[in-house]
Amino acid sequence: MDPRFAQAEAALQAGRYEEGVRLTEAALEADPKAPAGIYRSFTAILFRHRDFARAAKWAKAGAEQHPKDSELFNILGVALRRSGRLKEALQALDTAARLNPKNLAVLQNKGNVLNDLRDGPGAVEVFTKLVRAQPSNAEVQRGLGRGHHNSGDLAKAEMRYRLAVKLKPDNIDGWIDLLSLLSDAFRMAEAAEALDRAIAANPASARLLEAKAVMLRRAGRRRDADAYLTELARAHPDEAWIHHQIGLTVADYDRERANHHLRRAFELAPQNLDFRLSLAESLNRSRYGDESAHIEEAYQVVKGGLDRPITHPVQLKIASEVLMRVGAHAERDRLATFAEAGRRWAEAGMHAPLLAQMARVETPEDRHELIAQHRIWGDLVQAQAARSPISRPGPRAPDGKIRIGFMSSDLRNHPVAYFALPLFEHYDRSRFELYCYSFNQGEEDQIQRFITESVHAFRWWKDISDRDAAERIAADQLDILIELGGSTHMNKLPVMAYKPARRQASWVGYPHSAGPTAIDHIVLDPHLVPKDPRLLIETPLVMPKTWLALGRTFRDAHVIAGDLAEERNGFITFGTANNPHKYNERLIRTWARVVREVPGSKFAFIRPEGNAPSFRQHMADYFAAEGVSADRLVFHTVRGAHMPFYNEVDVTLDPFPLTGGTSTCEALWMGAPVVNLRGEALFERLSYSILSNVGLAHHSAETLDGYIDIAVKLAADREQRRELRRTLRERIKQSPLGQPEAFARDFYEMIAQAVAKEGAQAAVG
């Protein structure tokens, strides 16, 4: 046998882990037919160091050399499970069970994987056998409970969880599962009582103390959670998990304090990937101080963790968002494929990251896959809502008015409010009553105050659960509830799954079907409706001309320069102010091709990321790949006060496939023409709708070559650009986009017809 095995064993026994691993790997590569025991011992060491990906590699190598060794296949299954490769894990464990059917540990590992895959019936079958063989084993009782939980049989799940913690009061996982079940069912008093008993039995358990903070936060009681954790921190100032939980709890209303605690958690436990990524996420969302510095720090924090598998859906979301924001698309793509990422998020109940999926769509199959991902999420939240239905009042007495609800935390200084304002300014109070619902964690601003004063009721619930919000909305007895925010920050899209209104619709805030079939309609216009009806889940409510109009935030105070940027600079400037979550490598390289085709031209990024070194470098690399040097890139680092910078752009290049919306309106308002590539799905047609409504549909292309051709020809036509700079704002004002009162009239008439139709159908039924 290779003498390096002995050297490796000596190094490992001496605590020189990296040296021992390196020597063992070299020995196994030189002598792959080593005894099965060496492979088992080596993978056991890797497990102790939580080196699961490497353990899976060598367990697989050992199993290939010793195909009848059940234990190696068992180790391989567990290592693959810990690496997030669940389907491969199941195959390995099936082989292990076939080789040794009497090994109960293999059977238990298989049951755990089935539970991870949410195959409730399969897990129930496995754990029922185990419970018969080991009725006093708390862990198999818990596994059976998880199987029933995943099957939707909550009563049986609860019984097994309670039995597990009775058999073994220090079974922390059993307590956590029981608390999760009770919390999901909104049996909060029982959950609190169970948690008190769990902590009494395990007073030193950090996981249970942490569970209390999580439970308070999930119940919408963030400030109570803050107070509880702050008290714990006084007693235990160096407990990393406490700082981590404080950071998560206060982030929405005190970002700077959140970053302080998340940094402290990371300092105390630098190997904890969750702590690392939570810090990165909070930095990425930080708007105080130097935003570019926060973005760069977030990227470096994520980059430092990319040597480890990032498989958990939450970890994958955070890493993907940060990498996308600085343009690290290759690093992002290595984390997971389009389908893998989207399904992991949807199956984990995570909707927000699906927005960035739109920028990754390339094929017709991708479009339908994205619809499937939204359906998965919608079915999941509706199943959760069905397990705890809300109370509803009886029908309200007829009063001749249509009661409309608008639900969004963005009814403030935010693009959603910019487009919603006409509906609050122009409506017939004798026909309609408007109710608004916001969960904004910040302070009231001037726009929110205006909306509050314009509507019948503005319900502002900072600390509330999804279910409680749904029940309170139901108490308002709406005829229709319209959600405006999708799953963007601080919104509560899952409220729609409870169906708090008889009729429900989505509009403006999310450029895709949200997912739940409980949302009956989506408000569109003739330019937005996809030709393929399978690309929508809801039934469209189609406005006659446009799905949006420009509100009072589009002001003449935004001054348009009297000359062209080209005339001042001596060269053409292309540019964008769109968010990097709409970028992809194909898009950026297309922008570079446009610049390459126009000698001497430059490209301007009007973005707060502009001073982040990594963003600059990635953009420069993409442009260089198309033969465009870095000195032809311009970065205007600005947030909020960006409107004047459109005067520095001659031609705005729209992103694709996820196109601009607000940014397209802003560019046109400032006289900067927009070139667009339209596609088949809703999110690929937003700019096309806007351009069509101002008579510029000819600036929208159906092909990539057409997009480049339009941009190059527009750059060459100085007179056309001068005319557009001079007249575009007035053209917008005269277009459907610039007629907010007519837009509101059309909108409310459409809603009235939808409500009347629903009432007529109910009467017939």
Side-chain angles (χ1 to χ4, degrees), residues 98 138 161 201 203 241 281 307 323 328 348 364 372 382 408 642 693 710 762:
R98 188 168 61 252
Y161 291 156
W241 73 265
E281 180 179 45
D307 58 337
L323 294 173
Q382 288 184 162
S408 175
H642 61 282
N693 272 291
I710 292 170

Side-chain angles (χ1 to χ4, degrees), residues 179-180 183-184 213-221 464-466:
L179 294 169
S180 176
S183 298
D184 287 346
V214 172
M215 184 182 296
L216 289 168
R217 195 166 66 242
R218 288 184 63 189
R221 297 167 55 191
I464 194 170
S465 67
D466 296 337

Side-chain angles (χ1 to χ4, degrees), residues 21 32 107 184 193 216 306 321 355 450 457 460 583 679 683 743 752:
V21 167
L107 198 60
D184 287 346
E193 185 272 332
L216 289 168
L306 292 180
E321 288 176 346
L355 174 62
F450 170 79
W460 187 12
Y583 297 4
F683 60 89
F743 168 79

Side-chain angles (χ1 to χ4, degrees), residues 758-765:
E758 190 268 342
Q761 290 173 341
V764 171

Side-chain angles (χ1 to χ4, degrees), residues 401-461:
K401 290 187 177 182
I402 296 174
R403 200 171 284 187
I404 304 172
F406 293 95
M407 185 177 77
S408 175
S409 294
D410 300 326
L411 298 174
R412 52 192 170 91
N413 188 13
H414 186 279
V416 165
Y418 305 162
F419 297 116
L421 278 173
L423 299 181
F424 304 124
E425 292 177 304
H426 308 291
Y427 72 97
D428 185 346
R429 286 160 175 78
S430 68
R431 290 184 66 198
F432 302 98
E433 281 186 356
L434 305 188
Y435 291 71
C436 291
Y437 306 95
S438 172
F439 317 104
N440 174 27
Q441 291 291 312
E443 300 303 317
E444 183 183 55
D445 60 25
Q446 188 174 358
I447 291 178
Q448 181 173 321
R449 191 174 306 116
F450 170 79
I451 296 172
T452 300
E453 294 168 354
S454 302
V455 300
H456 182 80
F458 193 107
R459 317 290 196 201
W460 187 12
W461 300 319

Side-chain angles (χ1 to χ4, degrees), residues 268-280:
L268 290 166
Q271 297 306 310
N272 188 304
L273 191 57
D274 288 331
F275 294 177
R276 173 186 291 273
L277 292 175
S278 292
L279 172 60

